[in-house]
Amino acid sequence: MSLRRFVPAALAPRALIAIVFVASLAACSSGSPPPKPTPLAPNEALIGVRQVWTAHVGPVDFPLDVNVNGNTVTLAGAGGTVAAIDARTGRDLWRTSVRTPIAAGVGSDGKLAAVVTTGNELVALQGGRELWRQKLQAQAYTAPLVAGARVFVLAADRSVSAYDGQSGRRLWLQKPPSEPLILRQGGVLLAVGDTLVVGLSGRMVGLNPLNGSLRWEAPIASPRGTNDIERLADLVSPVSRVGNEVCARAFQTAVGCVDAVRGAVLWTRPANGAQGLQGDDRLLFGTEMDGKVVAWRRANGEQAWSTDSLKYRGLSAPLALGRSVVVGDSAGFVHLLSREDGSLLTRLTTDGSAVVAAPVAAGNTLVVVTRNGGVYGFQPE
């Protein structure tokens, strides 16, 4: 268990903060040592993929979301670097620094980019230049959403706010009751049609983006357990969206799909994972806490297959890419598995540090980011 995964909500009493810290430390230090990672099978290299470029953004120790718009990927390093890179060549389209460490990002619509700093500032960038910055009332660990000429923020106190994209003026703020703990991890924040879809605890919530008013709630998981840590059921990113259907994971509890127009839960299934989902109109893919890679049928949530070949290897969230499911691990390997049965198609190497964000596809390029700040572009041979 990582102490950094759990943080007190912004308004939690100091006594509770101390109690949670001690309880987490005791849980992590007791019991048997963690299982050893499963040894890797020989790489049969059944498909041809080659590294075509590499870049660097500095170490990444925050929940990075690599943003894709066409052939452009926008990403950031913890030290304050934000860069837009041409995925075809690895060259910078622009690069700048927000001059302070970053806590969440990157959100972008291809023109405007936004990050949140550790000083609780929302910073908007355009063409590599700072456009504005606004002080937030609480820290955020979810990348801002830039959509409809607005910037939306999901903060650690579970408040949701909207800002004008050009001026930075706050347009509205909705703040539900705070809870003692939240995950230091990216949550659910996306636009589906004219609805802002947000993950609040174990619920997927639809808001009116014009004023933040509630349109619907759809529970994917209910808090359970006898203490605050066990009762965590936050929805985590990334999510898999096909049309109006959004499928997401509730931390260590369940996976499920919701009709984001009607606010109706289509199905849920128990699952024990900490990373989000990816998929298409037929299958959903996820990685469990023990390193299993699982495929569920999108229509009803029934399990299609699972593989133990990467158990205990500290897997990233997956990417569905062509005939492959792509996952990174804590040793910097990138595994391309068959989407049909989870068997290994090929394995790629990076710098040996953990893959820290879900791999993304930009045009014809697979892009992977590591803990040490390496950015790698791979293309089919």
Side-chain angles (χ1 to χ4, degrees):
M1 178 186 299
S2 170
L3 293 180
R4 302 191 65 178
R5 187 181 294 278
F6 304 108
V7 296
L11 302 181
R14 291 186 179 181
L16 179 57
I17 295 174
I19 291 170
V20 169
F21 182 86
V22 172
S24 299
L25 183 59
C28 293
S29 60
S30 62
S32 303
K36 293 183 179 180
T38 300
L40 296 176
N43 185 11
E44 301 289 345
L46 300 179
I47 57 175
V49 181
R50 61 190 177 93
Q51 180 185 315
V52 292
W53 57 260
T54 185
H56 201 267
V57 291
V60 179
D61 65 357
F62 68 97
L64 172 66
D65 183 46
V66 182
N67 187 277
V68 178
N69 283 278
N71 287 306
T72 301
V73 290
T74 310
L75 64 165
T81 296
V82 185
I85 296 175
D86 186 331
R88 295 166 294 189
T89 63
R91 295 179 180 175
D92 285 354
L93 300 174
W94 55 260
R95 178 178 291 245
T96 191
S97 174
V98 297
R99 307 183 307 280
T100 190
I102 292 174
V106 177
S108 178
D109 62 357
K111 297 179 180 179
L112 188 71
V115 297
V116 178
T117 72
T118 57
N120 297 8
E121 291 180 312
L122 173 63
V123 184
L125 305 164
Q126 194 166 48
R129 296 184 178 183
E130 183 175 319
L131 192 59
W132 51 262
R133 67 174 62 200
Q134 285 283 6
K135 187 75 173 181
L136 301 175
Q137 294 184 350
Q139 188 62 73
Y141 301 107
T142 300
L145 170 67
V146 183
R150 298 185 176 194
V151 181
F152 301 93
V153 177
L154 171 62
D157 61 355
R158 292 190 168 84
S159 63
V160 185
S161 52
Y163 297 81
D164 181 88
Q166 288 301 304
S167 69
R169 179 175 63 90
R170 194 175 76 186
L171 304 173
W172 53 261
L173 170 70
Q174 293 290 349
K175 190 173 181 181
S178 184
E179 297 179 26
L181 289 179
I182 57 93
L183 289 168
R184 189 187 185 275
Q185 188 168 335
V188 171
L189 183 64
L190 73 155
V192 180
D194 65 349
T195 297
L196 179 66
V197 177
V198 183
L200 296 178
S201 191
R203 298 166 291 132
M204 197 177 294
V205 176
L207 303 178
N208 183 337
L210 299 180
N211 56 23
S213 61
L214 179 66
R215 286 179 171 169
W216 50 260
E217 293 188 21
I220 289 181
S222 299
R224 54 184 172 78
T226 58
N227 60 55
D228 291 323
I229 293 178
E230 291 176 346
R231 290 175 59 82
L232 273 171
D234 285 349
L235 302 189
V236 297
S237 65
V239 300
S240 175
R241 177 191 171 190
V242 174
N244 294 325
E245 184 179 292
V246 180
C247 301
R249 181 189 293 279
F251 178 76
Q252 293 188 356
T253 308
V255 296
C257 293
V258 171
D259 183 319
V261 172
R262 299 184 292 118
V265 177
L266 301 175
W267 57 262
T268 64
R269 292 287 185 273
N272 184 24
Q275 305 290 343
L277 306 175
Q278 249 275 6
D280 55 24
D281 59 353
R282 189 168 68 89
L283 293 173
L284 284 173
F285 306 102
T287 56
E288 301 295 271
M289 291 291 289
D290 63 0
K292 287 182 182 176
V293 183
V294 181
W296 297 272
R297 302 189 193 283
R298 193 183 193 101
N300 53 23
E302 292 181 356
Q303 184 172 302
W305 55 259
S306 70
T307 177
D308 294 339
S309 62
L310 301 175
K311 285 189 73 173
Y312 311 120
R313 298 200 62 86
L315 301 183
S316 71
L319 167 69
L321 181 63
R323 58 182 287 201
S324 304
V325 181
V326 185
V327 294
D329 72 16
S330 60
F333 290 107
V334 183
H335 310 271
L336 278 69
L337 309 178
S338 167
R339 60 175 290 114
E340 298 304 323
D341 59 12
S343 60
L344 179 67
L345 297 177
T346 194
R347 184 182 305 120
L348 312 171
T349 59
T350 58
D351 59 15
S353 66
V355 174
V356 292
V360 298
N364 197 40
T365 306
L366 167 66
V367 180
V368 176
V369 183
T370 69
R371 178 79 63 197
N372 288 345
V375 188
Y376 294 81
F378 300 94
Q379 293 177 355
E381 292 183 331

